[in-house]
């Protein structure tokens, strides 16, 4: 008889816990609840075309963006699942202006804070294109038993103890890291379980895909414009021109580039000098995954995870993906901003 070996997310979490003899199981319990919320949101995403869940709910969120029904659904269900696990004292979400403190005894004693973008890529919901959820977990700084404080959330990305995303794509995946590499699980809908499918995800050191909303080209910094031209120029030796791929869902764009090798860029522009993406619940968790997979994540000048946050919904320019690609665009940005002369590994002349 053929032997089938399936490792479910929960089995994997429990086995990983054995590497930490002092662990009391609280963190495993929390990850288990992330998996539950992901399955609930996945169920709604999959039937989005069948029920009255598409379209806008009529509100705007703290960023002034219109909230879609699924944004609200995902937000409510993640908050609920994370609260129910009792390990988290407070949660911050893209969809809520301030963080939410869980005021029951069990949660007050929770050791962790949870940050999330419950539905990433919401402009793709109504057109059946991949969307995601991004999450980030920190150990709280405030004393256990007391109310969580803003300081618990304003920790640099280097203090994350776990981060990940759920990708609701042609299949649904949960990808996460606890600082020991990146692991991917694929949802098997027939058994309703996330099953281990990508034991150790490593991103190629260099890649051929660049992902950026080129519609904003005119407003990009000079270094980014130069990098795009570099990606487009013909060069047999370096296998250029590169391929341009942009879905408009950070999770989906990052996931593809993570596997194939590439760079995702959401730069600062003249009209948005800090870019669009949010440091705490979009860029930091993705940066943690990128670095754990051997890639890089930067704001063009310093690693994303070294930035000391100053507010919950802070935005930051974002450059992430294959190490060599991020390093090159950093060189170009710094050359143009600081007038620093950089020895580029290629010639830029004769480019159209
Ligand atoms: P969200 O749906 O959570 O607001 O995030 C959308 C983000 C991100 O997923 C994506 O990379 C980017 O916005 C796309 O922005 P543009 O449409 O400006 O390219
Ligand atoms: Mn988002
Ligand atoms: Mn969102």
């Amino acid at each position: 008889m053929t032997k089938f070996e399936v490792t479910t997310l929960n089995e994997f979490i429990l086995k990983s816990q054995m590497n930490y003899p002092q662990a009391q199981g609280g963190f495993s319990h929390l990850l288990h609840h992330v998996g539950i919320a992901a399955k609930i949101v996945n169920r709604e995403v999959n039937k989005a075309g069948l029920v009255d869940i598409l379209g806008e709910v009529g509100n705007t969120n703290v960023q002034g963006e219109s909230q879609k029904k699924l944004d609200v659904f995902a937000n409510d269900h993640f908050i609920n699942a994370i609260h129910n696990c009792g390990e988290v004292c407070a949660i911050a979400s893209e969809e809520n202006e301030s963080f939410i403190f869980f005021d029951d005894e069990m949660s007050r004693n929770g050791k962790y804070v949870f940050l999330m973008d419950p539905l990433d890529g919401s402009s793709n919901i109504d057109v059946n294109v991949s969307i995601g959820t991004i999450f980030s977990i920190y150990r709280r700084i405030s004393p256990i038993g007391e109310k969580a404080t803003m300081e618990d959330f304003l920790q640099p990305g280097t203090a994350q103890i776990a981060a990940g995303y759920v990708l609701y794509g042609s299949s649904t995946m949960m990808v996460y890291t606890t600082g020991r590499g990146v692991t991917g699980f694929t949802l098997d809908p027939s058994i309703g379980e996330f099953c281990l499918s990508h034991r150790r995800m490593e991103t190629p050191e260099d890649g051929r895909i660049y992902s950026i909303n080129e519609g904003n080209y005119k407003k990009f910094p000079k270094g980014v414009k130069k990098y795009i031209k570099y990606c487009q120029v013909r060069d047999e030796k370096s296998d250029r021109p590169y391929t341009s791929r942009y879905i408009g869902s950070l999770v989906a764009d990052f996931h593809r580039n993570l596997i194939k090798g590439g760079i995702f860029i959401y730069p600062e522009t003249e009209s948005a000098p800090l870019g669009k993406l949010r440091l705490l619940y979009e860029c930091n968790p993705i940066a943690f995954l990128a670095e754990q997979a051997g890639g890089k994540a930067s704001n063009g000048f310093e690693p994303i995870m070294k930035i000391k946050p100053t507010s919950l919904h802070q935005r930051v320019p974002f450059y992430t993906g294959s190490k060599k690609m991020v390093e090159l665009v950093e060189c170009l940005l710094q050359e143009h901003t600081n007038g620093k002369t950089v020895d580029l590994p290629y010639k830029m002349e004769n480019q159209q």
Side-chain angles (χ1 to χ4, degrees):
M1 206 175 109
T2 323
K3 196 175 162 227
F4 295 104
E5 268 197 56
V6 176
T7 304
T8 65
L9 172 66
N10 293 332
E11 277 176 320
F12 184 87
I13 292 170
L14 288 175
K15 276 187 200 156
S16 309
Q17 190 190 314
M18 288 173 195
N19 294 322
Y20 304 89
Q22 299 92 332
Q24 293 165 339
F27 179 64
S28 302
H29 188 209
L30 168 55
L31 285 178
H32 170 72
H33 276 251
V34 175
I36 294 175
K39 283 194 260 186
I40 294 172
V41 173
N42 176 67
R43 189 187 63 202
E44 288 314 296
V45 168
N46 276 310
K47 62 179 189 193
L50 292 173
V51 293
D52 185 27
I53 196 125
L54 294 177
E56 292 176 14
V57 86
N59 297 334
T60 46
N61 67 7
V62 282
Q63 339 278 342
E65 299 153 343
S66 63
Q67 279 181 314
K68 306 274 177 180
K69 285 180 190 168
L70 256 183
D71 286 36
V72 176
F73 182 92
N75 197 39
D76 290 350
H77 280 273
F78 263 89
I79 291 173
N80 205 28
I82 300 308
H83 184 190
N84 282 344
C85 86
E87 310 292 345
V88 167
C89 59
I91 190 166
S93 162
E94 178 188 22
E95 302 299 337
N96 298 97
E97 182 152 8
S98 193
F99 65 85
I100 300 165
F101 168 64
F102 298 138
D103 201 8
D104 55 282
E105 201 189 330
M106 198 168 164
S107 303
R108 267 180 189 269
N109 291 323
K111 289 188 206 141
Y112 307 104
V113 291
F114 192 90
L115 294 95
M116 64 173 175
D117 176 355
L119 222 293
D120 172 66
S122 14
S123 65
N124 285 322
I125 296 173
D126 291 357
V127 289
N128 205 2
V129 171
S130 298
I131 49 182
T133 296
I134 311 174
F135 65 91
S136 167
I137 302 171
Y138 293 80
R139 214 176 288 283
R140 72 188 292 181
I141 298 174
S142 56
I144 288 179
E146 290 185 13
K147 254 190 141 175
T149 65
M150 188 59 98
E151 290 309 303
D152 291 323
F153 291 96
L154 300 184
Q155 302 186 55
T158 46
Q160 289 173 104
I161 59 164
Y165 57 77
V166 184
L167 170 61
Y168 313 99
S170 44
S171 58
T172 295
M173 283 193 73
M174 177 160 153
V175 174
Y176 78 91
T177 181
T178 56
R180 291 184 163 204
V182 178
T183 317
F185 300 82
T186 304
L187 183 65
D188 180 340
S190 66
I191 58 168
E193 294 280 3
F194 281 105
C195 300
L196 180 61
S197 53
H198 298 65
R199 190 170 281 279
R200 187 159 193 123
M201 298 179 81
E202 279 171 8
T203 198
E205 199 187 12
D206 207 352
R208 296 195 58 246
I209 298 173
Y210 69 105
S211 309
I212 184 167
N213 185 343
E214 277 184 71
N216 297 326
Y217 185 86
K218 271 189 115 174
K219 297 187 220 153
F220 288 157
K222 280 195 183 123
V224 172
K225 286 183 176 165
K226 201 165 168 184
Y227 184 72
I228 292 173
K229 286 292 157 224
Y230 165 78
C231 292
Q232 294 169 340
V233 81
R234 180 156 298 284
D235 178 316
E236 306 303 332
K237 269 190 259 153
S238 63
D239 209 10
R240 282 182 281 140
Y242 292 165
T243 296
S244 167
R245 289 280 181 273
Y246 191 73
I247 295 169
S249 293
L250 169 62
V251 169
D253 279 309
F254 176 77
H255 183 76
R256 179 202 52 242
N257 293 357
L258 176 71
I259 291 172
K260 294 193 167 180
I263 186 167
F264 174 92
I265 301 178
Y266 209 109
E268 58 276 42
T269 61
E270 282 159 22
S271 46
L274 293 174
K276 175 182 184 188
L277 300 180
R278 279 54 66 116
L279 173 61
L280 292 187
Y281 42 82
E282 290 182 315
C283 304
N284 265 337
I286 295 291
F288 194 14
L289 291 160
E291 288 196 9
Q292 284 294 315
K296 279 192 97 169
S298 154
N299 66 356
F301 297 86
E302 62 174 327
I304 285 290
M305 291 201 289
K306 285 205 173 151
I307 299 171
K308 172 79 182 94
T310 51
S311 66
L312 217 47
H313 300 288
Q314 182 174 348
R315 296 175 194 262
V316 73
F318 197 40
Y319 302 80
T320 188
S322 293
K323 194 164 170 274
K324 285 194 171 165
M325 298 176 93
V326 175
E327 282 170 357
L328 181 51
V329 77
E330 280 180 324
C331 282
L332 292 170
L333 282 163
Q334 290 167 22
E335 181 186 56
H336 281 280
T337 311
N338 305 337
K340 198 163 118 184
T341 317
V342 181
D343 282 334
L344 298 174
Y346 61 90
K347 295 213 183 320
M348 289 295 292
E349 59 257 28
N350 305 326
Q351 279 190 217
Q352 304 271 330

